[in-house]
Amino acid sequence: MATLHSPVVNKEDNQKISTERLTPQTAYHVPLWKALTGLIMSYVIVGAFFIAHGAIGFAEKGVAARIIFFHVPCAVLSSIAYFVGFFYAARYLLKLKSEKIKPFLDDYRSAAAMELGFLFCLLATITGSIFAGVQWGSFWNWDPRETSIVVMLLLYASYLLLRAANSLKPELRARLSAVYAVVALVPAQFLIWAVPRILATMHPTTTLTDPRMTSLSYKMVLYPAFIAFVLLFIWLMQLRVRMMMLWEQHRHNAQQTMETDYR
Amino acid sequence: MSGSLWYQQAVALWRKDLRAELRTRVALGSMGVFALASLMLIALSMLSLKDEVFVDALGHSHLAWDNPAKMALLWVLFCFAAFAGLSHSFVHEESTGTAQNLRLFMSAHAVYAGKLFFNFTVLGAIMLVITPIYMLLTGMQVGGIMVFVPIMVWGGMSLAAVATTVAALASRAHTSGALFGAIGLPMLIVLLVLIMQAAKLCYSAHIDTISIVKDTGGLLSYGILIITLSALSFHFVWED
Amino acid sequence: MKISLIIKQKQVNNHSHFIPWQQVVRTQTGLRLCPLNTLRLQISNLGHRYGGRKLFQGVNLDAAAGTVVAVLGTNGTGKSTFLKIVAGLLTPWQGTVSLSLDGAALTGEKRRHIIGMTAPDMALYQELSGAENLEFFASLRGLNPDTAMLRSSLEKVGLKGRGRDLVSDYSSGMRQRLRLAVAQLGSPRLLLLDEPSSNLDAAGIEIVESVLNQHREAGHIVLIATNAPHEMEWGDVHLQVAQL
């Protein structure tokens, strides 16, 4: 029988849990794309220091600029993560409305994306601040992109705070945080697109959009770096969702044991 | 026994809230005192900045404590005042147990609309009183009145919309007071940036159509989007 | 998990809608005619749980117009939750509640407008007077609340002359009376009463009983959640909500 507060309610998800997600995977059975993630990431780490030439016009003969292979993918992911979180939050609400089921899996996915968004946002802020310290002489300049990423960080933090405040009621928590994710899409959009454009910025805006601005050795590392980070994001998100489901399963089992003990 | 329409219900809720507010003055009192106190604080602490001049990159010198700066601090004041009082609307209904009756009698849309307009009314009253006093104390000028008034009205509406939505979310949690400020402020910072951008128009000499669209468009669309998304998803917050 | 539906006398008007114009309703005092409508409350396999705790499961009910159902069960079995689900305030964990009038299912606003409810945790506005509370809720129902209407509905629950006092000055019995008045606004076809005579004196209990009889005669459905013996007496049908 389906139960409300077990992680999933519909049959299809239930099967997924029992067959795919909860079976411990053996070391011999690494999916191809995960191996690929490891390979590309290793290539990026090596390439950042040995393939790419020092960037022209940057501090420390361009050596410091090597941090952008990690800073830029993190910054991009911190924006993408919000869209992923928003997508699953909206899907959660739509399913709740139309099918009258409790699609907890979407709630977990949304929460996992937001947590990773927070993580990558933090990494982008730290790496950016280090680079700013070397390049511009000060670790914090109130550049519009710096401002917007800090507010973005606050936005992620308040989402997580809202979840933490309602952790005792999983169903209410899922609804409230989904609504917050949907409504906060508006400030998130302004932070990602509008704020860096309406205020004057020191960040280069054409590095990614104009291929002529970067040399071949940079492209050879930067583009794989994007692929590696996106794959890493998917991998981490999968792990986090699986962890949340196991945790919920554990909580549910504990409750059931308690119920039978008192009977 | 005919059912009433949602906007009739919203007006009834607005009237009820206004009547209760005029009797108890919880929101008006707390916001008013908060706003007046911080107004004094701003006016006093900015006294030393009065004749400060800074030179920009092009070599022009400006007054540091100029009209846009005064406008920005006025809106900071409004934001904090709104967050001191506007959570009352939902938290009071939830904590006294009257929310159940509203759920039984009203549709979620009507509740959102009624609360939004009540919050806008209270905030508007505070703004009407505080703005002239602030202008007297700091010497802030209106600038272009055709830009100033719409910015004040629409900025107030957007602020009320953010506060209403966040109050509804926070009122469902037990630690509503602390949560309200924490989850609302990131949304307000973006609103403040947009308001300040739009407010520059009041004081610029050459206003062309492009800059009006660019600078007020952000503020306008922010308010509209927040209200639309909140209205669409409100019943997920309100109903069990 | 077993739910027993105890019918006090005989099966009540299960086929009553086949009788033209009027329907027969069996009450404590015997057979009685009541106006024809086919208001029907059908609850099938209703169950609810909070967190991992089961409250009740598999509750069934089919009540026709003019029935007073006493919902019974010990403390903590979920009588109040049951009423909230019927009122539409809570989404049940499983099962369905359907309310239909003349064969057409009522949903959304239509459904909302024919339900009245009192419960101990449904508070009224303390900062408003009794009459202002009534006026507010009446205007939500789309009624036109004039002085005469407010006065008569206050008089009906024995609050004559106290309408102008703030609810914060009311005693707990007076608040309960005002709740009854609010629940009856617009003469709802489905009335849900959660412990209606708590805090009430003898006169107040009589008022509740007369309210019940009025609704029964008007062909409405009333559900009372109760543990008090005298309230159980009022029910034509007893519905046991329990975890056995």
Side-chain angles (χ1 to χ4, degrees), chain C residues 15 21 28 30 59 76-77 85 88 101 126 151 156 162-163 166 180 183 188 191 198 212 227:
Chain C
H15 305 289
W21 312 122
Q28 288 158 288
V59 178
T77 50
I85 291 173
L101 185 64
Q126 306 227 346
R151 194 172 292 158
K156 241 171 40 185
R162 300 301 301 269
L166 293 186
L180 269 177
L191 188 62
S198 59
L212 279 185
N227 278 317

Side-chain angles (χ1 to χ4, degrees), chain A residues 144-166:
Chain A
R145 272 192 202 274
E146 289 179 347
T147 315
S148 70
I149 205 163
V150 162
V151 181
M152 197 69 200
L153 199 62
L154 282 177
L155 206 62
Y156 279 125
S158 38
Y159 173 90
L160 297 177
L161 200 68
L162 184 68
R163 275 188 88 79
N166 291 295

Side-chain angles (χ1 to χ4, degrees), chain C residues 86-122:
Chain C
V86 174
L89 294 176
L90 275 179
T91 314
W93 167 56
Q94 58 172 211
T96 52
V97 177
S98 74
L99 191 63
S100 60
L101 185 64
D102 299 325
L106 295 167
T107 51
E109 285 300 293
K110 277 185 185 164
R111 190 179 194 279
R112 194 193 305 279
H113 279 292
I114 66 154
I115 296 177
M117 182 172 181
T118 72
D121 61 347
M122 290 170 81

Side-chain angles (χ1 to χ4, degrees), chain C residues 2-7 46 55-61 69-75 77-79 82 224 226-227 232 237-244:
Chain C
K2 210 177 83 188
I3 301 302
S4 50
L5 179 71
I6 307 157
I7 305 233
L46 198 69
L55 282 178
F56 51 81
Q57 217 170 29
V59 178
N60 294 297
L61 177 73
V69 182
V71 181
L72 311 177
T74 50
N75 289 342
T77 50
K79 298 187 295 295
F82 176 75
I224 318 173
T226 184
N227 278 317
M232 293 183 198
V237 174
H238 284 184
L239 175 68
Q240 195 82 30
V241 174
Q243 195 179 20
L244 296 172

Side-chain angles (χ1 to χ4, degrees), chain A residues 93-94 96-97 151 154-155 158-159 161-162 165-166 169 172 175-177 179-180 182-187 190-191 195 197-199, chain B residues 165 169 172-175 179 182-184 186-187 189-190 193-194 197 200 214 218 221-222 225-226 229-230 233 235-237 239-240:
Chain A
L93 292 180
L94 289 176
L96 200 64
K97 196 174 182 178
V151 181
L154 282 177
L155 206 62
S158 38
Y159 173 90
L161 200 68
L162 184 68
N166 291 295
K169 297 175 178 169
L172 183 69
R175 268 189 296 135
L176 292 188
S177 48
V179 168
Y180 189 73
V182 167
V183 175
L185 178 73
V186 183
F190 276 87
L191 288 172
V195 172
R197 277 173 185 72
I198 58 175
L199 305 173
Chain B
T165 307
L169 283 169
R172 298 307 303 269
H174 287 295
T175 52
L179 201 61
I183 67 176
M187 294 174 85
I189 294 174
V190 180
V193 169
L194 295 170
Q197 193 66 26
K200 278 184 192 159
K214 191 183 161 206
S221 53
Y222 190 81
L225 285 173
I226 288 276
L229 284 180
S230 306
S233 55
H235 68 274
F236 292 113
V237 181
E239 283 159 11
D240 275 315

Side-chain angles (χ1 to χ4, degrees), chain C residues 26 31 33 46 61 64 85 143 166 169 179 208 212 219 224-225:
Chain C
R26 190 182 286 274
L31 289 175
L33 294 176
L46 198 69
L61 177 73
I85 291 173
L143 305 168
L166 293 186
D169 298 336
R179 278 198 199 113
V208 178
L212 279 185
I224 318 173

